Amino acid sequence: MALSMLLVRNSAAISRLGMLSAPLRSAALSSRLAAPMTTTAQEEMAKFWDKNAQRKRPMSPHLTIYKPQLTAMLSITHRGTGAAMAGFVYAFSMGMLVVNPLLDWDFPTIISFIKSLEIHPWLLLGGKWFMAWPIAYHAMNGVRHLSWDAGYGFNMKVLYRSGWFVFLSSFLLADLMLYFL
Amino acid sequence: MDNAISYFLARVENSKDKNTKMAATAGILRLANRNLLLGPQLMTRPFVASGLAHRNRLQAAPTTQFHTSPRSLAALASSHWNAERVLVLGMLGIFPLAYFVHNPAIDYGVAAAVVLHGHWGFEQILTDYIHGPLLPRLSKLGLYGASVLAFAGLCFFNYNMITVVYLFISRGFEQILTDYIHGPLLPRLSKLGLYAASVLAFTGLCFFNYNMITAVFYLFPGDLSRS
């Protein structure tokens, strides 16, 4: 009874210790201690989703309960800015494919149309800032991602420092882009 | 085994200092991992198929299980990852360069890099959030079509250059489809879709009279406020 209580309370630690209790990594991969599975990772993933959908299981709460942290917020912003920029480029280029033969619009036509709207210069500047900031943020966080791929920057202190650095200096970089470019 | 566990349990409960307690707990957990954690896993089909279910008592229970895939699939996934990083590094170089050097080759390089990077990014998003038997494949097909159109929309060619680039683009995407899509029907459907998209792209490439990429970079400077 005491044993099962101990194990239940420490189950997370148990799984972690399981990795440590195997002999050296290289030995664990030898045939005596490692078992290759006959299904691929894709098949296993598909089985997981199919099984749960079939049993009509509700999904566990995730976004509603998880504490927002810098790491997760920066990560989803990276994805969001990337998707927004790529979506804009896709929509713009596919749109040009349509309007050019149909309406004979080309890029200078669009620019002169925007000029004719006579938007207040401050508003225009703000609009340009909203286009510049995603580029600045996505590029800087992208470099942070590349450093992770090279193996650097996983230490918690470094992670949070680099995260704040990327976030704050993206605003600075966007301002610089507006000023110089 | 029960003797060993009760021995360690007694040591945990009776130990006075933290180190002994930790060592004893570690002892229990090591035993637990070996015999209890592996229990449910022994029942799975993959483990049974590996033949290690019928080992004799003296052979150790496996402590790790790993996935294997046919060699070409595994290599493809890892080289895709490498290709993504190479592209990103290239973009880090080509974007500042494109601002200073106005050259059609760089313009097309930027167009191709942006569409390819965006396409691969969208693919990751679709893989993460869309599950099921049919919806992922439909959405991936749609994405391929959109990427082809987007690339077509970004490029400007005179009549002679179009045929070269069209051949290059359509040949490349066909190879991608062959690699990723398998089965009795889906490859044929997707190839049909690809041909339709390529015809559209070809048509799109015939109708521009302005170099789109340098125009995009004019979006940023004060072209809108300069008159």
Side-chain angles (χ1 to χ4, degrees), chain B residues 18-227:
Chain B
K18 194 171 160 205
N19 284 336
T20 320
K21 217 180 193 94
M22 274 172 61
T25 315
I28 295 182
L29 295 174
R30 214 169 280 129
L31 283 173
N33 167 69
R34 224 180 96 88
N35 295 293
L36 283 163
L37 270 192
L38 294 178
Q41 288 178 336
L42 290 174
M43 295 303 134
T44 55
R45 186 171 58 83
F47 181 79
V48 169
S50 70
L52 278 151
H54 302 293
R55 68 194 186 283
N56 62 49
R57 287 194 166 273
L58 294 174
Q59 283 176 303
T63 51
T64 51
Q65 287 187 335
F66 57 92
H67 289 286
T68 56
S69 326
R71 173 73 199 147
S72 57
L73 251 183
L76 183 67
S78 85
S79 50
H80 176 83
W81 190 90
N82 287 341
E84 285 183 334
R85 317 298 130 166
V86 166
L87 178 68
V88 166
L89 288 170
M91 282 169 81
L92 272 180
I94 213 176
F95 266 63
L97 192 65
Y99 182 72
F100 296 105
V101 180
H102 294 162
N103 180 337
I106 294 199
D107 291 339
Y108 299 132
V110 170
V114 163
V115 173
L116 193 53
H117 184 70
H119 176 83
W120 280 340
F122 277 131
E123 211 172 351
Q124 294 290 354
I125 293 177
L126 291 181
T127 317
D128 278 349
Y129 297 134
I130 304 189
H131 306 283
L134 181 64
L135 216 46
R137 297 180 201 210
L138 278 182
S139 49
K140 295 265 168 68
L141 271 178
L143 178 62
Y144 275 120
S147 298
V148 168
L149 282 177
F151 184 65
L154 278 181
C155 295
F156 155 58
F157 291 97
N158 63 32
Y159 197 84
N160 290 328
M161 283 186 75
I162 290 171
T163 47
V164 170
V165 175
Y166 159 67
L167 279 175
F168 179 77
I169 296 175
S170 63
R171 186 70 210 133
F173 275 109
E174 200 170 341
Q175 192 56 46
I176 292 172
L177 285 183
T178 318
D179 284 342
Y180 281 88
I181 303 189
H182 307 284
L185 179 63
L186 218 44
R188 283 165 220 226
L189 277 182
S190 53
K191 295 271 166 64
L192 270 176
L194 175 65
Y195 283 125
S198 300
V199 167
L200 261 175
F202 180 85
T203 324
L205 289 177
C206 298
F207 282 106
F208 288 114
N209 55 17
Y210 193 94
N211 190 319
M212 300 307 285
I213 296 308
T214 49
V216 168
F217 274 85
Y218 276 97
L219 260 176
F220 276 96
D223 203 52
L224 288 179
S225 44
R226 287 186 221 133
S227 40

